[in-house]
Amino acid sequence: MLALVWLVATPADATETPAGSRIVNVAAISAQQDGRAIDAQSNRVDLVTAERLDLTLARVANDGGPVDVVLTNSGNGKEAFDVRATTSTPGTSVRGIAIDRDGNGRYDPAIDLLLSGPTPALAPGGQWRLLVLLDSDDPVRTTLTVSAAALTASGTPGTIRPGAGDGGGDAVVGPTGAQASVTIETDSPSPGAGGSGGAGGATLVKSQTVLAPDGSATAVRDAIITYTLVARFAAAATAARLDDPVPAGTIYVPGSLMLDGAALSDTADGDAGNGDGRAVTVALGDVAAGTTRTIRFQARIQ
Amino acid sequence: MPLILAVLSLLAATPTQAAPPAGPLSITTRMMVEQRVAAADGTTRTRLVPATRVVPGDRVTIVVAYRNTGTAPIADLVLANPVPPSTVYRGPAAGSPAPDLVANGSQVRWRLTRPVAPGGGGELGFTAIVR
């Protein structure tokens, strides 16, 4: 089985006072005078907690999948972020950046949100896995720079935008400058994912196309997603097997499973394929070094 | 009518949000933050200024100022200040005596051992960190 590996990022400290919370102080004084109690209350001081804008970006290992980074809102307010990615290699460009909603490290148009502008607002301490999609489905060796900045303000720490914080308070650029970038050298092929019983040296690249009932590529109900999984074995592997769950929100199209262009039955029988509606499984057996196998199947968006 | 005039001027000087003093005790509070000030000789010192904006991690100094506005001394004065929610008590403010009680970190209390003469008063304070 080909495995995807990633690190789970530690959630940020969510106990900070949320931006917009009021900090109120009232003091009291009391005494006894001539046998009776006297007292008084002070004025009320009421301060709105400002929004500190901060974020972190960290790379997540995602063998065989798209470049994967985790964006953490380390500020104390709800904030949207501008995310950009550029590549250093001529002829290679960034097709888009998607929020990996199901956190499986793979881009799935039926589930994941392809960004067409800033991200939606992220709660303080919240995290998103972001998938950087290149225009090539094949692994390429390039240098990617992924950068993110808070939409409200970024730049010099301490910069203030009056009234722009949550709850009407001020927004203040925090120590991170409310911006971050990571530079990632992508490798081709990447080691780490191995066939079961064999040595490492396998990569798995998953891509997909969408065909909607109206002929467009919009991910709408009843659109058909064709998934293509290309497994490359740099080293020989024994009893290699590929399992791929059918994404939530879709149903497997019966009879659509193919290996290297040849149809496979859905039942666990004599051939290599098995599609039970929840996952597709293809037994690749023993494969020689340098082998590439292509699996294709379809799912319908619910 | 000098006494009435004095009371009127005292009312006028009271911050607008303050409850009018019903008796001979007056108390006001301020929330302050440290501000760094560069002096002409190149050194930096800090001073307390009224807080206008705080973020988590900031240290605030809460000052309470009391005064005996009556005509007789007042003994056994107790000042109580709940620690504002979303802050954590740290300690007495610079120059302030330590509170006699910090109840569960949620209430700060001072008990004055000496009577306060008419017209007399003072300031106490503590620091807290915004969570």
Side-chain angles (χ1 to χ4, degrees):
Chain A
M1 175 183 153
L2 295 166
L4 291 171
V5 180
W6 66 82
L7 301 170
V8 176
T10 309
D13 182 6
T15 58
E16 283 191 339
T17 303
S21 307
R22 308 192 88 90
I23 299 176
V24 174
N25 192 62
V26 179
I29 189 167
S30 60
Q32 293 283 329
Q33 194 177 45
D34 302 331
R36 64 184 181 93
I38 53 172
D39 54 34
Q41 289 241 314
S42 78
N43 58 308
R44 173 188 168 99
V45 176
D46 191 339
L47 201 58
V48 177
T49 307
E51 179 172 354
R52 198 196 61 240
L53 303 164
D54 272 317
L55 70 99
T56 62
L57 267 186
R59 187 183 183 184
V60 179
N62 189 8
D63 265 341
V67 167
D68 195 341
V69 294
V70 168
L71 186 159
T72 304
N73 177 3
S74 50
N76 68 330
K78 283 184 188 153
E79 186 62 20
F81 298 92
D82 211 1
V83 187
R84 292 163 196 277
T86 55
T87 164
S88 66
T89 310
T92 305
S93 61
V94 175
R95 180 156 55 95
I97 298 167
I99 295 177
D100 189 12
R101 279 180 165 152
D102 58 359
N104 69 350
R106 300 179 190 185
Y107 174 58
D108 210 312
I111 298 166
D112 301 329
L113 176 67
L114 189 64
L115 295 174
S116 58
T119 66
L122 181 60
Q127 295 187 322
W128 270 320
R129 286 184 71 171
L130 300 171
L131 303 172
V132 181
L133 310 171
L134 300 179
D135 59 358
S136 162
D137 289 328
D138 294 326
V140 288
R141 190 184 293 275
T142 185
T143 303
L144 264 178
T145 302
V146 184
S147 56
L151 206 59
T152 303
S154 61
T156 309
T159 304
I160 294 157
R161 281 206 54 201
D166 288 356
D170 297 343
V172 184
V173 175
T176 64
Q179 56 192 2
S181 71
V182 284
T183 301
I184 297 162
E185 307 284 341
T186 66
D187 294 328
S188 169
S190 58
S196 67
T203 63
L204 177 66
V205 176
K206 185 177 182 180
S207 61
Q208 60 280 308
T209 57
V210 179
L211 182 61
D214 65 358
S216 73
T218 322
V220 293
R221 184 184 173 88
D222 285 335
I224 300 289
I225 309 172
T226 301
Y227 291 99
T228 305
L229 296 103
V230 178
R232 287 190 176 83
F233 294 85
T238 55
R241 201 181 78 170
L242 187 141
D243 296 311
D244 194 34
V246 175
T250 71
I251 52 167
Y252 173 72
V253 175
S256 64
L257 182 60
M258 300 179 87
L259 172 63
D260 296 332
L264 297 176
S265 72
D266 293 335
T267 50
D269 52 19
D271 70 21
N274 179 16
D276 65 359
R278 294 187 304 277
V280 296
T281 302
V282 179
L284 298 172
D286 297 344
V287 291
T291 302
T292 297
R293 310 299 300 267
T294 301
I295 293 102
R296 188 163 286 150
F297 71 93
Q298 293 180 322
R300 185 189 304 272
I301 298 177
Q302 291 298 285
Chain B
M1 302 208 293
L3 182 66
I4 292 172
L5 282 177
V7 171
L8 282 175
S9 67
L10 190 110
L11 283 172
T14 307
T16 50
Q17 293 163 305
L25 287 174
S26 143
I27 182 168
T28 58
T29 183
R30 310 191 297 276
M31 216 182 298
M32 315 291 280
V33 289
E34 283 179 5
Q35 184 185 60
R36 288 174 175 274
V37 185
D41 60 3
T43 58
T44 305
R45 59 189 179 83
T46 58
R47 67 173 179 190
L48 289 178
V49 296
T52 54
R53 145 186 349 101
V54 291
V55 294
D58 280 356
R59 183 163 66 172
V60 294
T61 300
I62 290 169
V63 179
V64 290
Y66 62 92
R67 185 157 299 279
N68 177 358
T69 59
T71 53
I74 303 175
D76 301 324
L77 267 174
V78 174
L79 290 102
N81 197 126
V83 178
S86 58
T87 71
V88 179
Y89 175 80
R90 272 292 182 270
S96 168
D100 299 290
L101 176 74
V102 183
N104 294 329
S106 64
Q107 166 122 307
V108 175
R109 195 183 302 165
W110 288 271
R111 186 182 293 276
L112 304 189
T113 51
R114 292 165 60 174
V116 178
E123 285 194 349
L124 301 164
F126 65 94
T127 61
I129 305 286
V130 179
R131 280 188 294 188

